[in-house]
Amino acid sequence: EIVLTQSPGTLSLSPGERATLSCRASPSVTSSYLAWYQQKPGQAPRLLIYDASSRATGIPDRFSGSGSGTDFTLTISRLEPEDFAVYYCQQYGSSPLTFGGGTNVEI
Amino acid sequence: EVQLVESGGGLVQPGRSLRLSCVASGFTFHDYGMHWVRQAPGKGPEWVSGISWDSGSTGYADSVKGRFTISRDSAKKFLYLQMHSLRSEDTALYYCAKAPGGVGPSSNYFDYWGQGILVTVSS
């Protein structure tokens, strides 16, 4: 099973600032099969990024993903008020599919 | 517009069974893989099970293997999760989720999610 460790657990920032979220995999993720999701309270997760760096349909370009192997990053270039939420990474290169523990981006 | 609507949840005693359903609309259901993902209160998501477009391939988390069965009725556009021998640790919000493709690792992420249905296992 691939274990995904997200850091930091909580990120306290202000609107307009840059957010950098980390997702580390052990062992490595096959073929950069890594996705990022955003979840707000009371809502289902929403797909942001797939294949480590491809933005999903309708996702603003302030969201970007990078990385491969064991180290992946989600960057939000300038935080908007609606971006304050919990973010999860998920690997789908091998079964079982696994999620990280999440990063809470708070004001 | 893609819509996924779950039903069949509720309060159930440990050891009992429950079947969850998910009705899909807004896309060609029989072309896509489908999954169940759960989220315990205050926790992150956990993948439960997935099924390919043609039901030819299924997968399960170790925590539910042998107790849960995923299936689909593509004519009716329904996804199911039959759950047996339920345990307190199965208590969670269960989401139905669509894959972006029909089968294979490259498609095992989730581009659309339902709103979830709560399953509570307690005596």
Side-chain angles (χ1 to χ4, degrees), chain A residues 30-31 33-34 50-51 92-94, chain B residues 99-110:
Chain A
T30 304
S31 302
Y33 286 156
L34 188 111
Y50 63 95
D51 293 349
Y92 48 100
S94 63
Chain B
V103 67
S106 65
S107 293
N108 282 337
Y109 60 95
F110 320 112

Side-chain angles (χ1 to χ4, degrees), chain B residues 42-122:
Chain B
K43 303 293 186 182
E46 178 192 15
W47 175 74
V48 173
S49 182
I51 188 168
S52 61
W53 67 280
D54 62 351
S55 301
S57 176
T58 58
Y60 298 91
D62 286 345
S63 58
V64 307
K65 203 172 291 183
R67 298 188 299 123
F68 290 11
T69 302
I70 191 171
S71 62
R72 63 191 297 163
D73 183 334
S74 288
K76 295 181 179 178
K77 302 182 181 180
F78 268 85
L79 176 72
Y80 302 104
L81 186 68
Q82 180 68 56
M83 305 184 291
H84 295 297
S85 303
L86 283 160
R87 307 167 180 168
S88 58
E89 54 264 38
D90 295 318
T91 293
L93 191 61
Y94 283 73
Y95 293 103
C96 167
K98 172 187 168 294
V103 67
S106 65
S107 293
N108 282 337
Y109 60 95
F110 320 112
D111 57 358
Y112 291 93
W113 300 61
Q115 281 306 298
I117 190 76
L118 184 61
V119 172
T120 303
V121 183
S122 174

